[in-house]
Amino acid sequence: MKYDVVVVGAGIAGPIVARNVAKEGHSVLLIDKKPAIGAPKQCAEGINIGVFEKHNIPYDKRFINREIYGARLYSPSGYTLEMRYSRVSGVILERKVFDKMLAFYAARAGADVLPRTEATDVIREDGKIIGIKAKKEGEPIEIRADILVAADGVESTIARKAGINTYAPPHEFDSAYEYEMLIEGFDPDLIHLWFGNNVAPRGYVWVFPKDEDRANVGVGINSDNPMTAKYYLDKWLKENNIPFKKILEVNVGVIPVGGFLKELVKNNVLVVGDAARQVNPMHGGGMAEAMEAGAIASKWIVEALKEENFELLKNYTTEWWEKDGKRLERVLRVRKVVEHLTDEDLDVFIQTLSGIDAEKIAGGRYSEVIKTLLKHPKVLMSPRRIALLKELL
Amino acid sequence: MTEKIRIIVNEDKCYLCGGCAGVCPSLAIKVSSSKWEFFQDKCISCRICVTACPVGALEAEVVEGKT
Ligand SMILES: Cc1cc2nc3c(=O)[nH]c(=O)nc-3n(C[C@H](O)[C@H](O)[C@H](O)COP(=O)(O)OP(=O)(O)OC[C@H]3O[C@@H](n4cnc5c(N)ncnc54)[C@H](O)[C@@H]3O)c2cc1C
Ligand code: SF4
Ligand code: SF4
């Protein structure tokens, strides 16, 4: 088998690359080790509404569980901050359908798609990577390709075998555990997030509604925590008297939230999405980031193939850092500050923020938000809080 | 003698999420869609995988150089 491009991983990033490159007439193979693309899911399925238009994805009710109008944040002592909009701000997807449809769009654009096909290694010839070794339904196969795209998620085995060091220390990952379950008593038009060092160290507990009485209920905590994510979620459900005997799914995963690869390309190999740790470090969402990276990577793959100049692939690194990397580095700085907040800080900040225009917060006008926080008496009395906030300005 | 460990999976707890493979610094764990595998020769006994697993499906068994 020989292709212009082989893409390993049919999550979010992989199919976007495969679709965009195949659309331009190049031969592309997209593989995934899962027998059914998209299943099992490892996701809370929340995504911003803007991605559909931006990445030319149909707004198809088959993979949209619910439209969301905002968010409610809960502090450790129960202060809340609500951001509710008159229009839809995001959706809760059905990822099992969404991922499969993304692969379908890639196939329809001309790419070949093979599930239950696991890349096991790269093939090198004279020091150059000329393809991958894979197992298709257990049978070893070799796939030759001019360009290899590692979209293999957090494991990033193929990226690493291709010599791209995607490794990060455990503190830079979150461990996540989630039930899709029946749950009542939460406004199903909003996503809900609970913060607190005993609730979810470094992270949060989430309720992402998929129905009036069904939601993804999960937790993310620092991966180097001595207790498991499951421990924290079960504890939270018990403490809040939420019955958990009507569980439809259990989802488990690790999320890279600690920084981004400097080099996203090595010769003819590109790394995209979770494999490149392209995740929003603040909330752990990585679908929009994977799409954005996939779009930039595919643009330069198409250019490189057209010009027959693989040096052009390096522009993916440059453009990604220019467009997304710089912004995400700033978000990472915020995350690192938030990590040091005590429960009392969280109470004070959420209490104060509930008086601030929601648009300012959601619109990312953080300096204005921080300036307002800095005026609060409980902040003014604490040199530590002032120092933490000033780090963000 | 430096400690050497073997990582053992509890298959009934494991969701094959791949997280442990992702955090392992030395590619000593491979998670395919149907099985979890450990490669002793690559393991550097750091125990990162054990702590990172969201469900506590991994255990470290000391095989050499008990401390
Ligand atoms: C519990 C949890 C909740 C989350 N919630 C959200 C959320 O609400 N919103 C959001 O935006 N993000 C969320 N994320 C993050 C999001 O799921 C990822 O950022 C996103 O899926 C990244 O897309 P990707 O294409 O890079 O990788 P993935 O979606 O992980 O896809 C990688 C694919 O590669 C395949 N693969 C891996 N190795 C091989 C191999 N060797 N051969 C063949 N195939 C291989 C895998 O089977 C997989 O299908 C969550 C993550 C977790 C764990
Ligand atoms: S992190 Fe835990 S649940 Fe996930 S594959 Fe490894 S052992 Fe299994
Ligand atoms: S102990 Fe360290 S090296 Fe060994 S398998 Fe676990 S993470 Fe990998």
Side-chain angles (χ1 to χ4, degrees), chain B residues 49-61:
Chain B
C49 53
V50 179
T51 324
C53 173
V55 292
L58 297 179
E59 245 181 90
E61 185 187 87

Side-chain angles (χ1 to χ4, degrees), chain A residues 33 42 116 118 154-155 160 167 170 173 175-177 223-225 228-230 250 252-254, chain B residues 15 17-19 21-27 30-34 48 51-56:
Chain A
K33 65 181 180 178
Q42 291 167 265
R116 195 125 224 213
E118 178 176 351
V154 75
E155 287 159 76
R160 289 197 271 169
Y167 180 71
F173 290 88
S175 291
Y177 185 79
S223 261
D224 52 352
N225 194 293
T228 63
K230 175 177 168 49
V250 180
V252 177
V254 165
Chain B
Y15 284 89
C17 75
V23 296
C24 173
S26 54
L27 292 170
K30 184 168 165 259
V31 181
S32 67
S33 59
S34 53
I48 287 172
T51 324
C53 173
V55 292

